């Protein structure tokens, strides 16, 4: 009975929100979030001081995580977002026909989400200008999730994240770390290219948040690397600069989060490469991987 009534409330809420959305209302002002002076980052970005590196050196999982984690579906509300947007509420993905947490299951659910993203028109300016959406790419069982900002011209043309000049540099960093692109899953805060490569607007990040949360829930990474301020600030709901976020670790759900400079920034400021290398060494050490000298 209790489940029936909560289902009915859930459905009524979804219908109400959908009605508002159809009526053209996409965002509601909300009171600013209170921040504690002791913890400038939001609750979703807790410093991760107690995490023990795994003993295995493998880049991807060999065992399925517990079903309770793998059956989670995308969250519908932005987690501690700095934007004051009305959460976008979608229908849950249909149940996967595969064993929860298996590679097939992850691939199936990512494909369902990819189809939703391909049809998305939440950000009208972006949807009307894009060549295609850029969902994400990589190993659905990856332990490592890399998050960038948004597709650029090359990514918009090819439908894959980080394939342009910044992507070439990211590839070099991945190789220097002893990793391969196939060890990683890569996506962005936005799945459409902002015109002129401008920074994503807060409402665009909020509109796309459901897809990012969905990818995180499906891949269920051990480690997330945020490349640049846009990725770090949006993921964790903080306004701290990337210069202050890097060199530390945070907790986002089950994942330990690292933040570092964006490869595009490195192309403009090669002197910052040494900082990124320090960040990568910290990441590799915590991940239990060999740290190159
Ligand atoms: N920059 C990003 O942040 N993401 C991409 O996919 C490409 C460039």
């Amino acid at each position: 009975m209790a489940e029936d009534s909560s289902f009915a409330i859930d459905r009524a809420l979804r219908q109400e929100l959908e009605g508002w959305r159809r009526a053209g209302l996409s965002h509601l002002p909300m009171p600013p979030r209170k921040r504690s002076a002791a913890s400038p980052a939001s609750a979703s970005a807790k410093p991760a001081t107690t995490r023990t590196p795994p003993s295995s050196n493998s880049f991807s999982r060999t065992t399925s995580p517990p079903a309770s984690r793998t059956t989670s579906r995308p969250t519908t509300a932005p987690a501690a977002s700095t934007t004051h947007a009305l959460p976008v509420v979608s229908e849950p993905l249909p149940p996967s026909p595969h064993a929860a947490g298996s590679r097939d299951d992850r691939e199936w659910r990512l494909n369902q989400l990819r189809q939703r993203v391909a049809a998305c028109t939440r950000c009208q300016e972006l949807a009307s200008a894009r060549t295609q959406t850029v969902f994400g790419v990589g190993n659905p069982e990856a332990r490592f999730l890399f998050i960038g900002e948004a597709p650029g011209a090359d990514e918009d043309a090819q439908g894959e994240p980080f394939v342009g000049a910044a992507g070439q540099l990211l590839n070099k960093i991945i190789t220097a770390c002893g990793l391969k692109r196939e060890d990683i899953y890569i996506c962005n805060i936005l799945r459409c290219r902002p015109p002129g490569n401008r920074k994503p607007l807060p409402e665009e990040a909020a509109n796309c948040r459901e897809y990012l949360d969905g990818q995180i829930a499906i891949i269920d990474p051990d480690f997330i690397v945020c490349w640049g301020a846009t990725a770090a600030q949006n993921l964790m709901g903080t306004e701290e600069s990337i210069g202050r976020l890097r060199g530390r670790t945070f907790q986002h759900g089950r994942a330990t989060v690292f933040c570092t400079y964006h490869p595009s920034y490195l192309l403009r400021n090669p002197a910052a490469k040494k900082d990124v290398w320090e960040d990568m060494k910290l990441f590799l050490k915590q991940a239990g991987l060999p740290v190159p000298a």
Side-chain angles (χ1 to χ4, degrees):
M1 257 338 233
E3 272 181 17
D4 284 353
S5 63
S6 79
F7 179 73
I9 291 167
D10 186 51
R11 197 175 45 187
L13 184 61
R14 283 175 192 285
Q15 283 170 350
E16 182 71 23
L17 290 172
E18 190 50 38
W20 289 356
R21 197 135 66 85
R22 288 220 183 92
L25 183 70
S26 61
H27 304 93
L28 281 181
M30 305 247 300
R33 300 178 68 86
K34 285 206 181 99
R35 286 232 191 95
S36 92
S39 172
S42 76
S44 70
K46 296 189 200 88
T49 49
T50 55
R51 215 175 154 84
T52 322
S55 51
S56 145
N57 268 5
S58 66
F59 302 133
S60 62
R61 262 172 270 274
T62 49
T63 54
S64 292
S68 61
R69 279 201 278 107
T70 56
T71 52
S72 61
R73 64 181 173 80
T75 51
T76 51
S81 168
T82 47
T83 58
H84 305 313
L86 187 70
V88 184
V89 179
S90 293
E91 285 299 308
L93 293 177
S96 147
H98 304 286
S102 63
R103 191 181 181 96
D104 285 348
D105 174 58
R106 288 165 201 255
E107 267 169 3
W108 192 91
R109 290 194 288 152
L110 285 170
N111 266 329
Q112 294 288 315
L113 197 56
R114 180 195 302 275
Q115 285 168 29
R116 254 184 214 187
V117 167
C120 182
T121 55
R122 286 173 189 172
C123 308
Q124 291 187 356
E125 188 193 11
L126 306 193
S128 57
R130 75 189 176 213
T131 305
Q132 58 194 309
T133 53
V134 180
F135 180 66
V137 70
N139 181 348
E141 296 184 296
R143 290 179 62 212
F144 312 125
L145 174 68
F146 284 7
I147 305 177
E149 180 173 306
D154 294 309
E155 291 76 20
D156 175 72
Q158 296 184 43
E160 191 172 312
F162 282 104
V163 290
Q168 299 309 312
L169 181 52
L170 183 65
N171 287 347
K172 286 187 186 161
I173 298 170
I174 291 171
T175 306
C177 289
L179 296 170
K180 298 194 185 72
R181 240 173 116 115
E182 308 83 77
D183 299 322
I184 300 160
Y185 192 90
I186 307 178
C187 65
N188 283 307
I189 293 296
L190 295 192
R191 275 134 205 80
C192 295
R193 180 192 181 203
N197 295 347
R198 64 160 168 75
K199 285 234 172 288
L201 301 175
E203 54 269 34
E204 292 165 349
N207 283 340
C208 225
R209 180 65 193 230
E210 183 182 356
Y211 306 133
L212 175 64
D213 284 341
Q215 285 167 305
I216 294 173
I218 294 167
I219 293 152
D220 191 21
D222 294 335
F223 296 91
I224 295 176
V225 181
C226 293
W227 295 90
T230 300
Q233 293 173 346
N234 276 286
L235 178 74
M236 299 191 293
T238 178
E239 287 166 16
E240 276 199 276
S241 69
I242 190 67
R244 285 180 53 83
L245 291 167
R246 61 168 290 271
R248 296 152 68 189
T249 57
F250 302 89
Q251 204 65 36
H252 182 82
R254 211 180 62 74
T256 301
V257 179
F258 294 82
C259 309
T260 193
Y261 295 118
H262 192 284
S264 299
Y265 175 78
L266 297 182
L267 291 172
R268 297 189 304 271
N269 300 279
K273 285 182 184 173
K274 64 177 182 331
D275 297 325
V276 171
W277 187 231
E278 289 308 311
D279 296 336
M280 290 297 100
K281 288 201 282 190
L282 181 67
F283 155 63
L284 292 169
K285 188 167 174 221
Q286 291 240 357
L289 297 175
V291 180

